Amino acid sequence: MNWITNYVRPTINSLFSRREVPENLWSKCPECGTMLFHRELTDNLQVCTGCNHHMAISPRARFAALFDGGVFAEVAVPDPVADPLQFRDQKKYPERLKAAQKATGEREAMLVAEGEIGRTPVVCAAQDFSFMGGSMGMFVGNALIAACERAIERRAPLIVFAAAGGARMQEGILSLMQMPRTTVALQMLKEAGLPYICVLTHPTTGGVTASYAMLGDIQIAEPNALICFAGPRVIEQTIREKLPEGFQRAEYLLDHGMLDRVTHRKQMRDELIVITRMLLGLPPAVQGELPAPDPETAPAAAAPAAPEKTQDPAKPKPESKKK
């Protein structure tokens, strides 16, 4: 009985028992409800294959798809004073920061990197909405200033991907001061004659919209992105009127002249390459390169003919030997 109980029964149960399926294999599109396999969603840059709804994407995944070969180098950002106001609501501010860092694996809500797109050197900064709503605090201000300084140093254009819920309430007036700080930094970039391209993603609201998100030389947005200062619900409650359909969405703002382009995420890289090279006065990017021919397998006709040996007139001709 011990052999049956200890070996046979567990073996049979393991063969017929239901295997556990990891929870992160499938994602549900919030727009159309389609269940999407995680690999399919990753290959499509977090865009629904059924309705083209653009979901949130991390800055590292965005940079991996943007830079040539997915290769980029992070730009160092100085750390601000931690918890300057000793703020506490339901949790202490440092505890919220640690929880966000553990959930996202990032230091803060903005990542700055440099590299090449289409062989054009650029500096990029991207906000992570999953890090405390991408809120703009002192670190975000330092990150954008560091991005501007690095772009001026390298004489490269600056590309910013904005995604934020506004200023960070835990830092109070210090977070609001990042609006003029980033504006001054972008003015330095403008005086250096370097392009600034801003890509607005869903959502971009609050103080971010009122500062660096709307100061680009070229304003691009992803489809159906919410771009505003105050949300539509707040406006409806204030004016007591029904807002038009699609109000404050990317397509609505494009029709009313606040945006230059609305571009699909999978076409964003090609569009940024064309725009950056155009603003820098460079020729169009090379779409493809042919490998150099292999000298061993090259046809003989392609090889240059050896030059014929000619007799130097200064030297006498050798006498032929008589037999």
Side-chain angles (χ1 to χ4, degrees):
M1 290 296 293
N2 290 337
W3 180 75
I4 296 176
T5 304
N6 297 335
Y7 180 76
V8 176
R9 184 176 294 173
T11 303
I12 295 174
N13 290 337
S14 64
L15 292 176
F16 292 97
S17 61
R18 184 177 179 181
R19 296 182 180 180
E20 295 183 359
V21 179
E23 297 180 356
N24 58 349
L25 290 181
W26 296 87
S27 298
K28 184 177 180 180
C29 175
E31 191 70 18
C32 65
T34 303
M35 297 301 295
L36 304 167
F37 190 54
H38 71 108
R39 291 181 182 175
E40 180 185 14
L41 193 59
T42 301
D43 294 341
N44 210 40
L45 300 180
Q46 300 297 319
V47 178
C48 176
T49 56
C51 64
N52 274 331
H53 175 69
H54 286 53
M55 305 180 192
I57 184 172
S58 66
R60 292 190 183 274
R62 189 184 292 276
F63 287 164
L66 178 68
F67 287 104
D68 293 347
V71 178
F72 60 90
E74 292 187 41
V75 176
V77 178
D79 290 322
V81 179
D83 195 13
L85 304 181
Q86 302 296 315
F87 191 92
R88 180 190 179 104
D89 46 19
Q90 294 179 348
K91 293 182 180 179
K92 292 182 179 180
Y93 181 38
E95 294 179 3
R96 291 194 179 277
L97 284 175
K98 290 180 181 179
Q101 290 169 353
K102 183 178 180 180
T104 61
E106 298 292 343
R107 289 174 58 200
E108 255 284 353
M110 180 173 277
L111 181 66
V112 184
E114 59 180 337
E116 293 185 347
I117 57 170
R119 294 197 170 184
T120 306
V122 297
V123 177
C124 290
Q127 286 180 270
D128 190 356
F129 191 78
S130 59
F131 192 104
M132 297 185 68
S135 52
M136 178 181 61
M138 291 186 294
F139 184 93
V140 173
N142 290 349
L144 194 65
I145 293 172
C148 292
E149 292 175 347
R150 185 57 177 166
I152 294 173
E153 181 183 351
R154 292 196 60 186
R155 302 295 303 171
L158 174 63
I159 302 173
V160 173
F161 295 87
R168 185 168 296 177
M169 58 173 286
Q170 288 86 352
E171 296 182 11
I173 190 64
L174 298 175
S175 65
L176 295 179
M177 287 303 297
Q178 308 313 309
M179 297 170 63
R181 289 185 73 213
T182 53
T183 303
V184 171
L186 292 174
Q187 182 63 29
M188 294 169 53
L189 190 74
K190 182 178 180 181
E191 293 175 357
L194 297 171
Y196 169 47
I197 302 171
C198 188
V199 181
L200 301 118
T201 66
H202 177 77
T204 302
T205 61
V208 172
T209 307
S211 56
Y212 58 85
M214 281 295 178
L215 295 177
D217 299 317
I218 302 293
Q219 298 288 131
I220 307 175
E222 292 184 341
N224 203 36
L226 177 65
I227 303 164
C228 60
F229 179 73
R233 179 175 54 85
V234 176
I235 296 176
E236 283 185 346
Q237 292 176 354
T238 303
I239 65 176
R240 301 179 185 277
E241 291 184 10
K242 185 68 176 177
L243 297 175
E245 185 178 357
F247 183 71
Q248 293 181 329
R249 294 289 175 170
E251 293 77 9
Y252 182 91
L253 298 181
L254 178 65
D255 294 338
H256 289 76
M258 292 187 66
L259 295 176
D260 298 305
R261 301 280 289 176
V262 174
T263 305
H264 194 281
R265 186 176 293 168
K266 297 194 73 173
Q267 301 170 356
M268 188 68 69
R269 168 182 156 83
D270 295 335
E271 183 132 327
L272 289 175
I273 291 174
V274 172
I275 292 175
T276 51
R277 297 187 70 87
M278 185 183 302
L279 294 177
L280 292 173
L282 299 175
V286 177
Q287 297 298 328
E289 295 183 359
L290 295 176
D294 189 354
E296 296 181 358
T297 59
E308 296 181 359
K309 294 183 179 181
T310 56
Q311 179 67 31
D312 190 352
K315 294 182 180 180
K317 295 182 181 180
E319 295 181 0
S320 58
K321 295 182 181 180
K322 296 182 180 178
K323 295 182 180 180

